[in-house]
Amino acid sequence: IAAELQETFGSLDEVTGANIKQLGRMEKLLGVSTESSAALVKSFMDLTGESFNAGVDMVKFTAALAEGNNVAPGAVMKDIADNSEMFAEFGADGGENIAKAAIQARKLGVNLATTAKIANSLLDFESSIQQQMEAEILLGRQLNLDKARQLALSGDIEGLQREVLKNVGSEADFNAMNVLQRRALAQSIGISVTELSKMVANQNN
């Protein structure tokens, strides 16, 4: 654990007995690897400018939130730790929005990398609008992705996922589409048909 702290923080400042105990406790009680928890604590500290202990509290909050949603805390923590760039770009509310987004993504059968692709695709306005229009022609109906773009811009990635699924419709609607319609719909939000099908199948979880 000491080695993980030194590697993550780049110095010995946070390598204390108290910090080592805290990460060790989280590993045992929450199933969160020390590598992921150290990376998350640093990400929360970088985002908020708060102390190591405040970062630990945010990790504990995320773990409790995951458990409350019947999602494995360790999987959520690793997902956030593996997507540090997204955390840095979209993090708000002390990182709470990313924690909620990671949990929601896990419930939908995908991960933060998928939601990052959606957000970045929608924020590429010119290309996104063109893809949306092409999908509308094939689907024979209008899509309303303006709110999804606003949510992406404000960092509400959890809300973004919900809004996108509103445009997709039910699993029955998706299953009734032909292959070209499914491709166009997935392309309009910047992900693969496989990723979209998982989200649709799990949207009521």
Side-chain angles (χ1 to χ4, degrees), residues 60-71:
K60 290 178 180 176
F61 165 81
T62 303
L65 198 62
E67 288 183 334
N69 282 273
N70 295 317
V71 177

Side-chain angles (χ1 to χ4, degrees), residues 7 21 46 50 76 82 109 111 117 124 136 148 172 192 199:
E7 177 70 22
K21 284 181 181 178
D46 289 345
E50 298 288 344
V76 171
D82 289 345
N111 55 31
K117 286 195 288 185
D124 183 359
E136 288 173 341
S192 69
M199 294 177 70

Side-chain angles (χ1 to χ4, degrees), residues 97-197:
N97 68 318
I98 299 298
K100 290 179 177 179
I103 292 166
Q104 176 68 10
R106 189 64 52 172
K107 290 173 70 175
L108 291 173
V110 292
N111 55 31
L112 279 179
T114 296
T115 61
K117 286 195 288 185
I118 295 173
N120 289 323
S121 175
L122 291 175
L123 291 176
D124 183 359
F125 296 115
E126 186 176 345
S127 176
S128 175
I129 291 170
Q130 181 181 340
Q131 296 278 12
Q132 178 181 332
M133 292 174 64
E134 291 174 4
E136 288 173 341
I137 292 169
L138 284 170
L139 292 168
R141 65 179 173 87
Q142 284 194 321
L143 299 174
N144 185 3
L145 295 175
D146 289 342
K147 185 175 180 181
R149 293 187 184 96
Q150 292 172 0
L151 291 168
L153 194 60
S154 67
D156 186 353
I157 308 302
E158 180 190 19
L160 166 66
Q161 295 173 75
R162 298 183 193 281
E163 185 63 28
V164 162
L165 286 170
K166 283 183 186 177
N167 280 271
V168 176
S170 68
E171 188 174 9
D173 294 332
F174 184 76
N175 289 338
M177 296 177 191
N178 63 41
V179 62
L180 293 179
Q181 290 172 324
R182 292 180 189 181
R183 284 178 186 172
L185 187 56
Q187 287 172 0
S188 72
I189 57 172
I191 59 176
S192 69
V193 175
T194 300
E195 290 168 315
L196 181 57
S197 66

